[in-house]
Amino acid sequence: MKVIILGCGRVGSTLARLMVRDGNQVTVVDKNRDAFRRLGPGFKGTTIIGNGTDEEILKKAGIETADAFVAVTNGDNTNIMSVQIAKTKFQVPKPLARIYDPIRACAYQEMGVDTLCTTLIGSRIIRDHLAGKELGLAMDYCSLEDEESVV
Ligand code: AMP
């Protein structure tokens, strides 16, 4: 699978290394050159410096032929905007935006933007851990509905 990861922070760099290890063709985009240090010296993927909402940068990263586009910058708006570009303009089959804000994640999910709200997922896992519950399957934690913490 050809994967583009936007944002080479803690999540982006970890995901990039995992995806390379699994045999995928990985390109990582970040506006900050220093961020690529997180990939380590032997990284087998490609790195592109630039803004992830710039279509020319996305084309340079190979978005026209990508199978997946994952936006994990520290900006919810950037992630939403770039995933919308990937989905509607370039028809990337698997687009996904990591969103911190649960309210925004709900709203954009309803508008058809593929989102994963790691704030909700992490909070629910911690709650279950503290309650001494056996942890569920990943999908058990992903729902954006019936969430009491979304106010
Ligand atoms: P973290 O805070 O560890 O999740 O890292 C987020 C990463 O996203 C940082 O390396 C930022 O440089 C990167 N980033 C933030 N906004 C953009 C953007 N618009 N385009 C490309 N990279 C970005």
Side-chain angles (χ1 to χ4, degrees):
M1 183 157 67
K2 186 171 167 184
V3 187
I4 299 176
I5 297 171
L6 174 62
C8 193
R10 288 152 288 193
V11 174
S13 57
T14 305
L15 176 64
R17 282 186 278 114
L18 285 174
M19 295 303 285
V20 165
R21 198 188 300 164
D22 290 350
N24 298 289
Q25 189 186 331
V26 177
T27 299
V28 190
V29 179
D30 200 292
K31 62 183 180 182
N32 177 9
R33 179 190 298 269
D34 287 347
F36 297 125
R37 274 185 304 172
R38 293 190 173 103
L39 295 169
F43 182 64
K44 297 277 192 300
T46 305
T47 55
I48 304 273
I49 302 166
N51 191 323
T53 53
D54 179 337
E55 287 182 21
E56 289 309 311
I57 292 292
L58 295 175
K59 279 188 195 169
K60 203 171 153 191
I63 198 159
E64 287 157 307
T65 54
D67 300 299
F69 179 87
V70 185
V72 285
T73 77
N74 47 352
D76 283 356
N77 288 338
T78 299
N79 295 342
I80 288 162
M81 203 185 301
S82 60
V83 161
Q84 272 178 317
I85 294 169
K87 188 172 180 172
T88 59
K89 179 121 198 189
F90 296 104
Q91 285 84 44
V92 176
K94 286 188 184 175
L96 186 65
R98 184 272 306 272
I99 307 293
Y100 284 131
D101 179 359
I103 297 168
R104 246 184 274 188
C106 282
Y108 282 96
Q109 184 90 312
E110 278 166 18
M111 286 167 59
V113 182
D114 304 82
T115 62
L116 204 58
C117 182
T118 53
T119 307
L120 284 177
I121 295 167
S123 302
R124 289 165 175 159
I125 290 174
I126 292 168
R127 174 196 59 193
D128 284 0
H129 175 74
L130 294 177
K133 283 189 190 168
E134 198 174 311
L135 293 186
L137 298 172
M139 290 314 291
D140 298 340
Y141 296 102
C142 291
S143 165
L144 290 171
E145 289 154 21
D146 71 292
E147 185 45 57
E148 58 290 343
S149 66
V150 177
V151 287

